[in-house]
Amino acid sequence: MKRKRILLILLCVALIFGMVGLTGCGKGQDSAGPGIQEDQAYQITLFFANEKYIATGDESLEKFMVYQSELTSRPGDVYLDALELLKNPPEEGYSTVITDSIKFNDVYLKDDTAFVDLDSNGLNGGSLDETFLISQIVDTLTNTFSEIKQVQFLVDGEAAETLMGHVDASEPFTKDLF
């Protein structure tokens, strides 16, 4: 009888420790730890240069081609992750001036303005390169994220007069600028 009582007490203690140990194992932000955001799925509208337009300069062609994609990212990284997708055209006919030589130091939102901080190394090219670089970034951000109304470019963390020497980049750009 005494043995059954001890066994019953041990089972109850084990059950209590097991229940306490499982507390907090459910899904939710707390399970990832304080301050850590979980990945979310986003629908992204990417703007790529039309390869035929670049090759021919034919003004009757659209300059940009739109590509819809899905991106899984943390909310704090989604703007940068979306711009990184512009480095890889999705299929034939799509082109980009945002190559691996273009480095994004940071992308962040303040009020309704996205600040895109570019590394000065790799920022070189003609006026067409600069125009397409700005357009791809501005159109992708403003057409994908409703909270972004304009884009201000920085170079190495500082306000920039121009990115490659051809286009005035001292003021923020809005969608459909070129």
Side-chain angles (χ1 to χ4, degrees), residues 18-138:
M19 289 173 54
V20 169
L22 291 175
T23 303
C25 288
K27 293 191 178 213
Q29 190 168 351
D30 290 341
S31 67
I36 298 176
Q37 298 174 330
E38 292 186 15
D39 287 352
Q40 295 180 15
Y42 296 89
Q43 290 298 315
I44 306 294
T45 304
L46 301 168
F47 284 75
F48 289 95
N50 181 343
E51 203 169 74
K52 286 182 184 176
Y53 174 81
I54 297 291
T56 64
D58 183 351
E59 290 292 329
S60 69
L61 296 172
E62 292 291 325
K63 292 179 175 107
F64 294 97
M65 298 173 68
V66 177
Y67 186 81
Q68 300 294 326
S69 181
E70 186 170 295
L71 172 66
T72 301
S73 178
R74 284 192 203 109
D77 298 332
V78 69
Y79 306 135
L80 176 61
D81 291 346
L83 294 183
E84 287 290 341
L85 290 176
L86 292 172
K87 292 183 177 183
N88 300 305
E91 54 192 63
E92 194 171 315
Y94 292 78
S95 186
T96 187
V97 296
I98 303 173
T99 63
D100 287 335
S101 67
I102 303 293
K103 304 282 188 239
F104 297 101
N105 294 328
D106 196 10
V107 181
Y108 60 92
L109 184 67
K110 184 176 179 186
D111 299 324
D112 65 353
T113 303
F115 287 83
V116 176
D117 184 7
L118 298 166
D119 188 309
S120 60
N121 296 317
L123 280 180
N124 51 45
S127 59
L128 185 65
D129 294 320
E130 188 173 11
T131 301
F132 273 72
L133 172 87
I134 292 168
S135 293
Q136 279 188 262
I137 292 170
V138 171

Side-chain angles (χ1 to χ4, degrees), residues 7 12 18 44 47 59 139 151 162:
L7 185 58
C12 287
I44 306 294
F47 284 75
E59 290 292 329
D139 287 344
V151 177
T162 182

Side-chain angles (χ1 to χ4, degrees), residues 145-160:
F145 303 103
S146 61
E147 65 272 22
I148 297 176
K149 303 298 183 217
Q150 56 187 3
V151 177
Q152 177 68 58
F153 287 94
L154 306 173
V155 176
D156 296 329
E158 301 291 326

